[in-house]
């Protein structure tokens, strides 16, 4: 683990304050991810620690039952865990390290809960500082007009796709605003374990259903979110 020098942390703060205006017209979250690659072969589930089976268990108690995550398609580095994470950010802040495909929920004492994430593909990246305006369980997904133009088959969902296991936002969504403006970006759930650690979405940050439920239950509305893009300023490398 590398502790970021103060000079780098100051640089990170500057970078984090630079939002992408153009990106706000592109966001919306992907309806489906690209076809899973054939290679490299994902690690077998046996390489994951035993406690991961419990963390990523089936959740039949949910409004829409969630199957167990397919850990055979999840790189072990992206299993949720509590790690050391020196940061100048206040406890409760969410930090998205896009370079390393991690989301950190800052805790007191230099610690953080770390989650593996999928991020926006080329042309849909974004960075900056904002806040989590509110949260929803089993949200309705409404594709932006720009997304419908790119994907006309989404016209049927112009007024919203009902919640459910096939809804692109999944089991939970955290809605990101900058000031009083909805950025159209979300942190949301997915069942596609193979996409964690990849750049596949239309700008949104995706976590496994089990992880986004855990994050949803522990993050307060109004919390700050910082999205980083520079490896040298990500805090951990």
């Amino acid at each position: 683990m590398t502790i970021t020098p103060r000079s780098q942390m100051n640089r990170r703060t500057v970078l984090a304050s630079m939002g992408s205006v153009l990106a706000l017209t592109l966001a919306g979250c992907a309806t489906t991810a690209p076809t899973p690659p054939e290679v490299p072969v994902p690690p077998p589930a046996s390489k994951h620690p035993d406690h991961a089976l419990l963390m990523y268990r089936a959740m039949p108690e949910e409004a829409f039952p969630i199957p167990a995550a397919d850990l055979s398609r999840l790189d072990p580095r992206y299993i949720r865990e509590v790690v050391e994470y020196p940061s100048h950010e206040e406890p409760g802040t969410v930090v998205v390290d896009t370079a390393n495909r991690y989301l950190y929920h800052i805790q007191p004492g230099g610690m953080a809960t770390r989650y593996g994430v999928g991020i926006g593909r080329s042309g849909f990246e974004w960075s900056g500082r904002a806040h989590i305006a509110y949260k929803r369980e089993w949200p309705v997904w409404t594709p932006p007009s720009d997304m419908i133009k790119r994907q006309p088959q989404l016209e049927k969902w112009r007024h919203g796709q009902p919640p459910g296991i096939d809804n692109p936002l999944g089991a939970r969504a955290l809605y990101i605003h900058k000031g009083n403006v909805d950025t159209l970006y979300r942190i949301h759930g997915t069942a596609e374990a193979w996409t964690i650690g990849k750049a596949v979405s239309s700008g949104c940050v995706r976590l496994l259903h089990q992880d986004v439920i855990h994050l949803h239950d522990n993050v307060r509305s109004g919390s700050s979110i910082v999205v980083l893009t520079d490896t040298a300023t990500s805090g951990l490398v």
Side-chain angles (χ1 to χ4, degrees):
M1 177 183 71
T2 301
I3 299 178
T4 305
R6 181 177 297 275
S7 61
Q8 291 184 340
M9 292 299 295
N10 290 338
R11 182 180 171 214
R12 188 187 76 173
T13 301
V14 173
L15 287 176
S17 66
M18 300 171 59
S20 172
V21 175
L22 175 61
L24 300 187
T25 66
L26 300 176
C29 306
T31 47
T32 57
T35 303
E38 293 299 326
V39 291
V41 177
S46 61
K47 289 188 177 181
H48 295 76
D50 291 342
H51 69 272
L53 298 176
L54 180 60
M55 284 197 301
Y56 297 104
R57 65 177 179 83
M59 304 182 75
E61 70 276 13
E62 282 288 319
F64 301 90
I66 297 172
D70 183 0
L71 296 185
S72 70
R73 306 205 68 115
L74 180 69
D75 189 317
R77 78 183 76 179
Y78 297 122
I79 289 175
R80 184 200 327 154
E81 64 176 320
V82 176
V83 299
E84 293 184 25
Y85 189 75
S87 174
H88 293 311
E89 301 293 344
E90 293 291 328
T93 300
V94 172
V95 177
V96 181
D97 178 355
T98 59
N100 294 302
R101 312 296 201 255
Y102 289 126
L103 182 152
Y104 296 89
H105 184 209
I106 305 296
Q107 306 297 325
M111 305 298 289
T113 303
R114 187 181 71 188
Y115 307 82
V117 300
I119 62 170
R121 63 186 182 273
S122 179
F124 294 87
E125 309 97 330
W126 62 290
S127 63
R129 181 180 292 271
H131 68 278
I132 297 169
Y134 55 92
K135 310 178 292 182
R136 291 288 184 269
E137 298 185 13
W138 294 105
V140 170
W141 177 67
T142 304
S145 295
D146 286 344
M147 176 175 277
I148 294 174
K149 289 179 181 178
R150 296 193 306 272
Q151 303 177 54
Q153 70 274 20
L154 300 180
E155 177 63 40
K156 62 182 178 179
W157 304 129
R158 180 177 291 276
H159 301 294
Q161 180 177 349
I165 199 69
D166 295 324
N167 183 295
L169 294 181
R172 304 287 189 274
L174 284 63
Y175 294 75
I176 301 170
H177 287 202
K178 193 166 186 176
N180 295 322
V181 178
D182 184 351
T183 67
L184 303 182
Y185 290 113
R186 314 288 184 244
I187 298 172
H188 67 87
T190 183
E192 297 171 328
W194 70 271
T195 66
I196 302 302
K198 304 294 192 302
V200 295
S201 77
S202 294
C204 294
V205 177
R206 56 171 56 191
L207 293 78
L208 288 176
H209 288 310
Q210 290 84 351
D211 281 345
V212 79
I213 290 172
H214 185 271
L215 179 65
H216 171 277
D217 289 348
N218 287 281
V219 170
R220 293 184 177 181
S221 295
S223 296
S224 295
I225 177 170
V226 180
V227 180
L228 309 171
T229 57
D230 190 329
T231 304
T233 61
S234 61
L236 292 179
V237 295

